[in-house]
PDB file of all heavy atoms in Angstrom:
ATOM      1  N   ALA X 251     -52.822  -3.500 -25.175  1.00 94.00           N
ATOM      2  CA  ALA X 251     -51.867  -3.737 -26.327  1.00 94.00           C
ATOM      3  C   ALA X 251     -50.479  -3.505 -25.878  1.00 94.00           C
ATOM      4  O   ALA X 251     -49.527  -4.195 -26.224  1.00 94.00           O
ATOM      5  CB  ALA X 251     -52.280  -2.797 -27.452  1.00 94.00           C
ATOM      6  N   TYR X 252     -50.259  -2.382 -25.105  1.00 95.00           N
ATOM      7  CA  TYR X 252     -48.931  -2.047 -24.660  1.00 95.00           C
ATOM      8  C   TYR X 252     -48.418  -3.121 -23.658  1.00 95.00           C
ATOM      9  O   TYR X 252     -47.291  -3.532 -23.706  1.00 95.00           O
ATOM     10  CB  TYR X 252     -48.970  -0.701 -23.919  1.00 95.00           C
ATOM     11  CG  TYR X 252     -47.703  -0.182 -23.361  1.00 95.00           C
ATOM     12  CD1 TYR X 252     -46.803   0.564 -24.169  1.00 95.00           C
ATOM     13  CD2 TYR X 252     -47.335  -0.472 -22.050  1.00 95.00           C
ATOM     14  CE1 TYR X 252     -45.573   1.036 -23.597  1.00 95.00           C
ATOM     15  CE2 TYR X 252     -46.172  -0.050 -21.549  1.00 95.00           C
ATOM     16  CZ  TYR X 252     -45.313   0.710 -22.289  1.00 95.00           C
ATOM     17  OH  TYR X 252     -44.107   1.131 -21.776  1.00 95.00           O
ATOM     18  N   ALA X 253     -49.311  -3.578 -22.746  1.00 94.00           N
ATOM     19  CA  ALA X 253     -48.835  -4.507 -21.665  1.00 94.00           C
ATOM     20  C   ALA X 253     -48.475  -5.848 -22.246  1.00 94.00           C
ATOM     21  O   ALA X 253     -47.687  -6.540 -21.678  1.00 94.00           O
ATOM     22  CB  ALA X 253     -50.028  -4.616 -20.721  1.00 94.00           C
ATOM     23  N   GLU X 254     -48.980  -6.197 -23.373  1.00 92.00           N
ATOM     24  CA  GLU X 254     -48.713  -7.528 -23.914  1.00 92.00           C
ATOM     25  C   GLU X 254     -47.370  -7.572 -24.757  1.00 92.00           C
ATOM     26  O   GLU X 254     -47.044  -8.675 -25.138  1.00 92.00           O
ATOM     27  CB  GLU X 254     -49.881  -7.937 -24.896  1.00 92.00           C
ATOM     28  CG  GLU X 254     -51.137  -8.303 -24.101  1.00 92.00           C
ATOM     29  CD  GLU X 254     -52.305  -8.365 -25.003  1.00 92.00           C
ATOM     30  OE1 GLU X 254     -52.268  -8.283 -26.211  1.00 92.00           O
ATOM     31  OE2 GLU X 254     -53.537  -8.467 -24.445  1.00 92.00           O
ATOM     32  N   ILE X 255     -46.738  -6.446 -24.908  1.00 92.00           N
ATOM     33  CA  ILE X 255     -45.505  -6.405 -25.662  1.00 92.00           C
ATOM     34  C   ILE X 255     -44.320  -6.843 -24.761  1.00 92.00           C
ATOM     35  O   ILE X 255     -44.107  -6.254 -23.682  1.00 92.00           O
ATOM     36  CB  ILE X 255     -45.278  -5.128 -26.332  1.00 92.00           C
ATOM     37  CG1 ILE X 255     -46.323  -4.814 -27.307  1.00 92.00           C
ATOM     38  CG2 ILE X 255     -43.843  -5.029 -27.011  1.00 92.00           C
ATOM     39  CD1 ILE X 255     -46.354  -3.396 -27.847  1.00 92.00           C
ATOM     40  N   ASP X 256     -43.517  -7.857 -25.159  1.00 86.00           N
ATOM     41  CA  ASP X 256     -42.374  -8.289 -24.415  1.00 86.00           C
ATOM     42  C   ASP X 256     -41.284  -7.245 -24.391  1.00 86.00           C
ATOM     43  O   ASP X 256     -41.086  -6.476 -25.321  1.00 86.00           O
ATOM     44  CB  ASP X 256     -41.825  -9.621 -24.916  1.00 86.00           C
ATOM     45  CG  ASP X 256     -42.675 -10.806 -24.585  1.00 86.00           C
ATOM     46  OD1 ASP X 256     -43.452 -10.711 -23.624  1.00 86.00           O
ATOM     47  OD2 ASP X 256     -42.500 -11.819 -25.233  1.00 86.00           O
ATOM     48  N   LEU X 257     -40.468  -7.193 -23.285  1.00 80.00           N
ATOM     49  CA  LEU X 257     -39.312  -6.393 -23.266  1.00 80.00           C
ATOM     50  C   LEU X 257     -38.217  -6.891 -24.246  1.00 80.00           C
ATOM     51  O   LEU X 257     -38.246  -8.028 -24.683  1.00 80.00           O
ATOM     52  CB  LEU X 257     -38.745  -6.429 -21.845  1.00 80.00           C
ATOM     53  CG  LEU X 257     -39.643  -5.929 -20.715  1.00 80.00           C
ATOM     54  CD1 LEU X 257     -38.904  -6.184 -19.350  1.00 80.00           C
ATOM     55  CD2 LEU X 257     -39.914  -4.475 -20.886  1.00 80.00           C
ATOM     56  N   PRO X 258     -37.388  -5.996 -24.668  1.00 82.00           N
ATOM     57  CA  PRO X 258     -36.481  -6.312 -25.777  1.00 82.00           C
ATOM     58  C   PRO X 258     -35.440  -7.447 -25.342  1.00 82.00           C
ATOM     59  O   PRO X 258     -34.910  -8.091 -26.251  1.00 82.00           O
ATOM     60  CB  PRO X 258     -35.646  -4.999 -26.016  1.00 82.00           C
ATOM     61  CG  PRO X 258     -35.930  -4.175 -24.792  1.00 82.00           C
ATOM     62  CD  PRO X 258     -37.304  -4.525 -24.387  1.00 82.00           C
ATOM     63  N   SER X 259     -35.266  -7.657 -24.112  1.00 72.00           N
ATOM     64  CA  SER X 259     -34.313  -8.747 -23.641  1.00 72.00           C
ATOM     65  C   SER X 259     -34.980 -10.122 -23.690  1.00 72.00           C
ATOM     66  O   SER X 259     -34.332 -11.136 -23.424  1.00 72.00           O
ATOM     67  CB  SER X 259     -33.936  -8.469 -22.211  1.00 72.00           C
ATOM     68  OG  SER X 259     -35.023  -8.360 -21.327  1.00 72.00           O
TER      69      SER X 259
END
Side-chain angles (χ1 to χ4, degrees):
Y252 180 90
E254 291 168 3
I255 297 173
D256 284 341
L257 298 176
S259 57

